[in-house]
Amino acid sequence: MLKQDFKYPDTKAYDFVVQTLQKRGVDLHDLAQMAYDLQSDFLPDLTVKECYDNLIQVMHKRELLNNAMVALELDRLCEEGQIKEPLESIIKNDAGVFGVDEALAIQISEIYGTIGVTNFGYMDRVKKGIIRKYDRDPQHVNTFIDDLLGAIVAALCGKLAHKYA
Ligand code: MG
């Protein structure tokens, strides 16, 4: 139910996403490095520090936080057996034709325009292995987090490209 006086908890959402990513073994510096590797050919003046500083800005966007919270919670709920069948098996087996993980991620990647979307597609095909290694615990369900990480890096690529345009 819509409550007019609800104040959106942006800081809490940011803290939740960053802390959950840390718990899942993700180092934000690694994400900044990935964006640097993808964009430095096009942006010769780019630095890794600049990528990191922009990453922190990107991660404060409400559009990113909303989808990230949903993605991270769906992985957790599935892992803890809180999701009913057939959805549980679909998520657990990362079924290729499911597509909701990618849909949540693509919405993040397009925050800064189409450059983010093309970068997301590239990472989805080529860099999946690299993204996957950020989930260091094989006990975890990774269906949403891998796409989420690709999307965060992709959105950052879009932001950096526009900054220099
Ligand atoms: Mg996935």
Side-chain angles (χ1 to χ4, degrees):
M1 192 185 145
L2 175 72
K3 266 182 80 185
Q4 296 286 10
D5 57 350
F6 175 75
K7 185 93 179 63
Y8 208 91
D10 288 285
T11 308
K12 280 185 184 155
Y14 174 81
D15 291 345
F16 173 82
V17 169
V18 169
Q19 282 162 16
T20 307
L21 289 178
Q22 273 167 1
K23 259 189 248 162
R24 298 295 306 269
V26 177
D27 183 342
L28 295 184
H29 291 93
D30 291 341
L31 301 186
Q33 181 68 47
M34 288 180 69
Y36 176 81
D37 293 343
L38 285 163
Q39 288 299 301
S40 56
D41 285 351
F42 311 110
L43 312 171
D45 295 331
L46 189 65
T47 63
V48 179
K49 158 115 178 47
E50 193 179 358
C51 292
Y52 183 78
D53 293 345
N54 278 274
L55 171 65
I56 299 304
Q57 288 175 32
V58 169
M59 293 202 52
H60 277 88
K61 297 281 282 185
R62 197 177 280 166
E63 301 97 311
L64 182 148
L65 294 171
N66 289 341
N67 288 29
M69 285 190 291
V70 173
L72 292 167
E73 279 294 275
L74 282 169
D75 274 348
R76 180 186 67 81
L77 289 167
C78 189
E79 205 174 290
E80 293 177 359
Q82 302 284 333
I83 289 178
K84 289 188 177 168
E85 291 292 3
L87 186 58
E88 179 179 74
S89 294
I90 292 168
I91 295 177
K92 245 185 197 150
N93 293 293
D94 202 359
V97 290
F98 178 52
V100 179
D101 42 348
E102 283 90 357
L104 270 179
I106 283 172
Q107 217 180 5
I108 289 174
S109 72
E110 65 193 7
I111 294 175
Y112 297 99
T114 48
I115 293 169
V117 184
T118 53
N119 273 282
F120 175 76
Y122 173 73
M123 273 183 287
D124 190 49
R125 294 300 300 267
V126 179
K127 301 243 167 181
K128 201 106 185 172
I130 298 168
I131 296 266
R132 261 189 199 286
K133 89 173 182 185
Y134 291 98
D135 187 73
R136 284 163 193 161
D137 186 348
Q139 299 302 105
H140 284 304
V141 173
N142 312 321
T143 299
F144 285 87
I145 195 173
D146 59 345
D147 298 288
L148 171 63
L149 295 177
I152 292 172
V153 174
L156 176 56
C157 288
K159 185 177 196 296
L160 293 167
H162 284 288
K163 207 177 155 213
Y164 281 92

